[in-house]
Each structure stands twice: as structure tokens, then as C-alpha cells.
Amino acid sequence: MGRALIMFSVCLYFLGCQSFPDPPVSFLSGLRVLGVRADPPQVAIGEGGIVKVLTVDTTGEMAAASWSRCLRAPLAGDAVNPDCVTQPSAAFLQPIGDGLSVTTTMPADAPAAAGQPDATGGVYSPLVARVTDPTDTVLAVYRWRLRTDDSTPANANPSIASLYALDASGAPSPLDEATPPVVQAGDVLTLGVTFAPGSAETYSSAGAAPATEVLTTSWFGTAGVFSVERTSDAQPHTVLRLDQRLESAAQSPTGLIDLYAVAHDERGGTDFIHRALQLK
């Protein structure tokens, strides 16, 4: 189980993996890492921030995390050097703290391990979180964007304003965290998110025309199946079909189905939101 979760994490953060697991990645079972958020998501050398990992553990265990900075430059075509993920300890893994959130600083030697700029013109300091519970281990990699140009605004995290379901008329009805809507086996919900104004920022990279960030949202839940696991402006909705994988919610004393939406911009910004459904 732990090995499978580690492989999922590697595929998540090293683009290019193609797999179609059963159950799907969007179905939550056991220990999982859904995302990492830094506040702020872009800093200059010597500036600090708080980095937080979003974990879910459906076994009810408490997760712990230990963090390291990857000091080894990535190989050509990689976002992060694979050695920083496959090796649990090494001289090129610099410990920076323990806990699901840590406070850290962008080091002076960050550019040496950052590698080449990505498509947005950014370079990153890779941070590795080793998340554990009593039986499993999951690795998460977050690339903290380095600010190298004071003449342009630093990236900010997107902000999810609401998670909604379309009602019978097709209008969005925001889900309330305090009062989960009641659902039944076989129900079908069309879900989406809205963002606060300014979440999709316009930016410029060296020698390129200004561009506006594309925001994507990954979906996760403890029951049912999503029609698509990632939404964006081009495909703003996913359909959650509650016709399978209901055992956990049905056997739970609360009968709750947990939903998570994790949003990303193209420059290391992240936000996430949790809502629940009441299975009857």
C-alpha cells in the first residue's frame, strides 16, 4: 500500500506519467496527500514563508510530516531531480522542519538547484515532504517559486470562493460547510468552483508577451466517481455519480462523504476547499 502511494506521488509531481488506476486517483482511501500550499508562493532569496501540506487519512490516523530541501539540480526534462524522491536521506536533502506546516526561508543557494526556467519563466526551490502514518508513507514535492525580478509583481495563490452544485434549473448552488446537503445512493451531482476576482493573474516572462494564468482544479472524494478529475475554464464542471464506492460513507456513524477541490495556477500557487455530503 505504501509503495503504491509513493508511486502515485512521483507520477503526480513528475509530469508525463500515464496510468489509469482502479480505484481512480480521485477516490480517497487511506493516507493521501492532495496538495501543498506556500504562503506566499513566490519569494526572493532571504524571504520566508509557511508551507503546508494538505493530507487526508480515511483510517482515522494522525499524519506527520518531515520536510527537506532538494539541493540537487534536476536532470534535463525533469521538474525535480528523481534522487530527491527515491532516496529517504542524503547529503543533498537538507532538513527544514517537521509538521504538516513549516516555516522556512528561500536560501541563497536556491538558484544552483533550481534548474532551467519553466514555460512561465520561473525557477523553483524543490521542497520534499515525507508524510507518514503508522502504516504508510507518501511523498509530496512542492516547487517553491524564486522571485528574481523586483520590477514585476510576485505570484499570489488563487483563492477558491465557493464549491457549488448545479440545481435543477442549472443554476450554481454553493455547498455550505456547516450544513452538508443530503444525497442518496444513485444521485448525480454536477460540481464546480468559483474563484475570487484576481485569482487568474496576468504576468510577463522574459522576452514573452503578457499571459494570464490558467487555473485548474483537481477533484477528490470518499465516495462515487467523477466524470473528470480535473476542471478548468475549458471544462468547468465535473459530474459526481454516487452509484459506487459508497461503503465507507454508508458504514460511517456520520454518513458523510468528503469532497475536496484543489486549485493550481501555472506558477506554484495553490488553494483548496473541503465540503461534505450527507448520505441517507
Side-chain angles (χ1 to χ4, degrees):
M1 180 67 169
R3 179 178 298 179
L5 288 168
I6 291 173
M7 288 307 298
F8 159 71
S9 180
V10 173
C11 284
L12 177 64
Y13 290 99
F14 290 92
L15 304 181
C17 288
Q18 294 292 323
S19 61
F20 302 93
D22 184 22
V25 168
S26 56
F27 177 67
L28 298 178
S29 179
L31 175 63
R32 291 285 300 276
V33 171
L34 306 189
V36 181
R37 173 186 168 107
D39 287 298
Q42 184 178 15
V43 295
I45 288 173
E47 293 181 340
I50 299 173
V51 186
K52 175 182 179 181
V53 61
L54 171 62
T55 65
V56 175
D57 198 336
T58 63
T59 68
E61 299 286 355
M62 294 294 294
S66 59
W67 295 79
S68 300
R69 178 176 290 109
C70 174
L71 302 179
R72 178 164 286 184
L75 304 175
D78 282 341
V80 179
N81 193 298
D83 291 346
C84 292
V85 185
T86 58
Q87 300 192 33
S89 62
F92 51 80
L93 287 171
Q94 179 187 73
I96 58 173
D98 296 316
L100 296 182
S101 69
V102 294
T103 299
T104 187
T105 301
M106 183 67 74
D109 58 357
Q116 296 300 309
D118 67 1
T120 69
V123 294
Y124 302 83
S125 175
L127 306 179
V128 181
R130 181 174 292 269
V131 182
T132 61
D133 71 5
T135 60
D136 283 324
T137 298
V138 183
L139 299 183
V141 178
Y142 178 73
R143 297 165 67 228
W144 199 16
R145 190 177 179 102
L146 173 62
R147 188 177 187 186
T148 58
D149 182 3
D150 293 338
S151 66
T152 59
N155 187 36
N157 286 309
S159 177
I160 300 176
S162 70
L163 190 162
Y164 64 81
L166 297 184
D167 62 21
S169 69
S173 177
L175 274 60
D176 183 3
E177 179 80 343
T179 55
V182 174
V183 295
Q184 297 179 339
D187 281 355
V188 177
L189 291 83
T190 300
L191 303 173
V193 295
T194 61
F195 291 94
S199 289
E201 300 170 279
T202 299
Y203 66 94
S204 297
S205 58
T212 300
E213 292 173 329
V214 175
L215 303 181
T216 59
T217 303
S218 297
W219 293 85
F220 304 91
T222 55
V225 177
F226 294 98
S227 61
V228 294
E229 296 180 330
R230 182 176 295 182
T231 55
S232 64
D233 281 347
Q235 187 169 8
H237 297 125
T238 185
V239 177
L240 175 62
R241 299 185 181 276
L242 297 173
D243 57 357
Q244 55 185 297
R245 301 191 178 95
L246 302 178
E247 294 83 2
S248 177
Q251 296 170 7
S252 167
T254 63
L256 291 178
I257 297 170
D258 291 300
L259 300 177
Y260 295 88
V262 183
H264 300 274
D265 65 25
E266 298 172 290
R267 301 185 292 155
T270 310
D271 196 20
F272 30 78
I273 189 172
H274 168 266
R275 292 292 183 265
L277 306 172
Q278 182 71 63
L279 181 65
K280 292 292 188 180

